Amino acid sequence: PCLPRFDHDQLPVGFAVGRDVSLAAITAIFSVEYLLRLWSCVECPEARGVGAWKARLVWAKSPLALIDLMAILPIYFEFVFSAQGGSGKSKSMLLRNVRLLRIFSVFRLEGPIRAFRTLRQVLTNKAQDLLVTVFGAGLFILLLGTFVYSVEALDSPEVFPDIPSAMWWCVNSMQSVAGYQDGYPKTSAGKAAGSICAVIGVGLVAVPAGIIGAGFLEVHSQLEASQDHHRPFRQGARG
């Protein structure tokens, strides 16, 4: 049996009112916070020597400020759409997509939680290595997909009708043995290519994990070195 579909419009009246009041209060708090940060960003040392409105514009275009804005605006859009009234499948789908944009509020945790800042620093430091890995994986998939299509197009036209389908099969074969759905190569060369996909898939998962792990070790070493550097000054101040 199918599970009942959850509909926001069929919520109990008391729960719906409480949800709307809580959402309005939280939105008001975050909106005031955003406006205060936008207004006071001119006091930062980086903003000295720059016009006030230009400094505010620079801050508003920063990644964290854009995340804050994208976390707040969908709630206002939902209020506007709800106030207009009416019904319809298109409007319901639009409201559902607007609600999904609230997921950006998760990135607000990057500021107060140290682990998020560490992860961002690791990804920033290892961005070039990760991009090289992604480029190499894409090139490998392109070459192997083209090869699989060239040797399997005649024997399995329903499984490998074109090169993109063969590339998609290679991607799935890297994470499983059977490949995508029930399709599998019939020729010896195609089976050899599938075996290579299965073996290389392990390496494609291990390489990024190793790069990120090395990045965490580097950041941790830097934090420890910084703490060791400041520890004598702290002890001297206490003495």
Side-chain angles (χ1 to χ4, degrees), residues 140-141 143-152 159-160 165-180 183-204:
F140 173 78
I141 292 171
L143 296 177
L144 199 59
T146 304
F147 173 77
V148 171
Y149 170 74
S150 63
V151 298
E152 293 289 335
V159 180
F160 305 100
S165 299
M167 293 173 60
W168 177 244
W169 180 86
C170 290
V171 171
N172 285 274
S173 297
M174 289 180 181
Q175 304 301 323
S176 63
V177 178
Y180 180 62
Y184 58 91
K186 296 181 180 180
T187 64
S188 299
K191 293 179 180 179
S195 302
I196 294 175
C197 285
V199 174
I200 297 298
V202 179
L204 290 179

Side-chain angles (χ1 to χ4, degrees), residues 68-147:
D68 290 342
L69 187 61
M70 294 184 69
I72 296 172
L73 285 182
I75 304 177
Y76 285 105
F77 290 154
E78 184 176 350
F79 286 154
V80 172
F81 294 147
S82 300
Q84 291 179 353
S87 60
K89 184 177 180 180
S90 60
K91 183 179 178 181
S92 177
M93 184 63 66
L94 182 60
L95 281 174
R96 188 174 302 172
N97 294 333
V98 168
R99 291 190 182 105
L100 289 177
L101 293 178
R102 296 181 191 171
I103 193 66
F104 286 100
S105 60
V106 175
F107 294 99
R108 290 176 57 88
L109 299 175
E110 193 271 343
I113 298 181
R114 180 180 177 181
F116 281 90
R117 297 197 300 269
T118 302
L119 179 61
R120 179 171 61 88
Q121 186 175 357
V122 169
L123 295 179
T124 301
N125 296 340
K126 297 299 182 178
Q128 185 174 2
D129 297 336
L130 292 174
L131 287 176
V132 171
T133 303
V134 172
F135 176 79
L139 182 60
F140 173 78
I141 292 171
L142 175 62
L143 296 177
L144 199 59
T146 304
F147 173 77

Side-chain angles (χ1 to χ4, degrees), residues 3-72:
L3 294 175
R5 185 176 180 180
F6 181 77
D7 192 354
H8 289 273
D9 297 331
Q10 298 178 357
L11 291 173
V13 177
F15 183 85
V17 172
R19 182 203 63 179
D20 294 339
V21 171
S22 301
L23 186 60
I26 294 172
T27 304
I29 293 173
F30 284 145
S31 300
V32 171
E33 179 203 12
Y34 179 84
L35 294 176
L36 290 177
R37 292 172 63 186
L38 178 63
W39 184 262
S40 60
C41 67
V42 295
E43 302 298 332
C44 297
E46 296 82 0
R48 295 176 181 175
V50 183
W53 291 107
K54 185 177 181 180
R56 293 188 178 98
L57 180 61
V58 172
W59 180 85
K61 293 189 297 183
S62 62
L64 292 180
L66 292 176
I67 290 174
D68 290 342
L69 187 61
M70 294 184 69
I72 296 172

